[in-house]
Amino acid sequence: MSNFWAMKTFKDWANAFVSNSEIGFDENGVDNDYTTYNVQQLPNVLENPRLVRRFDQFCKWAKIGDYVIVGVGPTTQFNMRLIGRIIGDYEFDNQHTPYRHFRKIEIMKVFNEPIPIEKWGQVQRIELVDDNDFIDTLVKSIH
């Protein structure tokens, strides 16, 4: 069964997601393949436990076949920019810019004018969302 994710990112990263058919993630200090760190190393790599959870979600919990809605906007806004389906495993490439941690996606829809999704205004980087909430968001955005 597929999971459904809401992901918040920068406008320029969202443009790179569309150009490269991928989603990406990064944070200073996570300078290697995230899956190679053991539990004891993580507090030294990421001081904020919330960031550990976000990396776990992106690198370990998201799976091929999962769906993702990517949004952009200021801290309290989520403007839907694209909808995709994950088609690749987590990858790390230190030379990949603007983000080094990424997954290939099949782009399903790109919104040239991002659509505000008020209820997801507090989404932080990546979050698992309920399938009904995900579908409801899609239906309401296709006026």
Side-chain angles (χ1 to χ4, degrees):
M1 179 168 173
S2 298
N3 285 318
F4 300 89
W5 302 91
M7 184 174 184
K8 180 100 175 263
T9 195
F10 307 105
K11 277 186 183 178
D12 61 327
W13 284 27
N15 292 336
F17 292 0
V18 172
S19 297
N20 299 330
S21 294
E22 63 192 16
I23 52 175
F25 212 72
D26 214 331
E27 186 68 35
N28 288 335
V30 188
D31 300 327
N32 294 301
D33 178 328
Y34 182 76
T35 62
T36 64
Y37 294 108
N38 65 44
V39 175
Q40 292 78 23
Q41 292 173 308
L42 287 176
N44 297 324
V45 174
L46 289 166
E47 294 177 13
N48 185 336
R50 289 186 188 136
L51 288 177
V52 171
R53 180 173 169 79
R54 302 295 178 228
F55 264 92
D56 281 347
Q57 289 174 316
F58 184 83
C59 302
K60 296 178 179 178
W61 302 349
K63 302 289 183 212
I64 292 173
D66 287 358
Y67 293 87
V68 61
I69 291 178
V70 175
V72 297
T75 305
T76 59
Q77 293 179 9
F78 187 98
N79 301 309
M80 183 168 49
R81 176 77 168 94
L82 69 96
I83 302 166
R85 187 173 62 85
I86 298 172
I87 60 171
D89 288 323
Y90 160 72
E91 296 181 58
F92 173 79
D93 179 348
N94 206 34
Q95 303 304 310
H96 196 282
T97 58
Y99 42 82
R100 300 171 295 168
H101 306 266
F102 57 96
R103 292 175 161 277
K104 292 293 184 186
I105 63 168
E106 170 190 358
I107 304 264
M108 301 176 80
K109 175 74 176 165
V110 174
F111 300 93
N112 292 325
E113 293 297 322
I115 298 171
I117 308 295
E118 185 125 357
K119 65 183 172 183
W120 288 351
Q122 298 300 316
V123 165
Q124 305 257 330
R125 303 224 187 158
I126 188 168
E127 292 184 20
L128 186 63
V129 294
D130 178 81
D131 55 345
N132 290 320
D133 192 15
F134 189 94
I135 292 165
D136 182 61
T137 300
L138 293 182
V139 169
K140 288 179 178 172
S141 68
I142 307 173
H143 312 356

